[in-house]
Amino acid sequence: MTDNSKTVIALLAGLAAGAALGLLFAPEKGSDTRDKLAESLKNLGDSIKEKAAEEIDNLTDLKEKIVGNIKSKIKQAEDEYANDTEHA
C-alpha cells in the first residue's frame, strides 16, 4: 500500500470519527443523531470500498506488467540459447 493510500484511508477514518463525534454531541434527538451517524458510516464504507477497488486494480496492473516482463526475459533467454546452439 502506498503512502498516498495510507494517507487517504487515515483521512477518511479521521473524517468519519470527527463526524461521528460531532453528531454524538449535537443537540438533536437521538433518532436523528443515529440516522446521521449511520449515513456517515455508510459513506465511509463506500469510500473505503472504492479505494480498495482502486488499489486492487493497481495491483492487477502491476502483476500483469511483471508477468509480461518475465515472459519477455524468458523469450529473450530462449532466443539467445537457440542462437548459441546454432553457432556452436
Side-chain angles (χ1 to χ4, degrees):
M1 189 177 288
T2 65
D3 288 337
N4 289 340
S5 299
K6 291 178 185 177
T7 302
V8 169
I9 290 172
L11 178 64
L12 291 173
L15 287 172
L21 287 173
L23 290 172
L24 290 174
F25 290 106
E28 294 182 4
K29 290 180 13 181
S31 60
D32 292 340
T33 301
R34 285 189 297 274
D35 291 343
K36 286 182 180 181
L37 182 58
E39 183 65 27
S40 294
L41 291 175
K42 180 187 176 297
N43 290 340
L44 174 64
D46 292 344
S47 296
I48 291 172
K49 285 178 187 176
E50 288 174 12
K51 187 62 181 170
E54 288 175 16
E55 290 301 321
I56 289 170
D57 288 342
N58 289 340
L59 289 173
T60 300
D61 292 344
L62 179 62
K63 177 201 74 160
E64 290 173 0
K65 183 178 178 181
I66 290 170
V67 168
N69 285 340
I70 291 171
K71 286 181 179 180
S72 174
K73 299 269 186 207
I74 290 172
K75 177 70 173 139
Q76 182 181 3
E78 288 173 344
D79 291 345
E80 288 178 12
Y81 178 76
N83 286 337
D84 288 346
T85 56
E86 288 176 3
H87 294 99

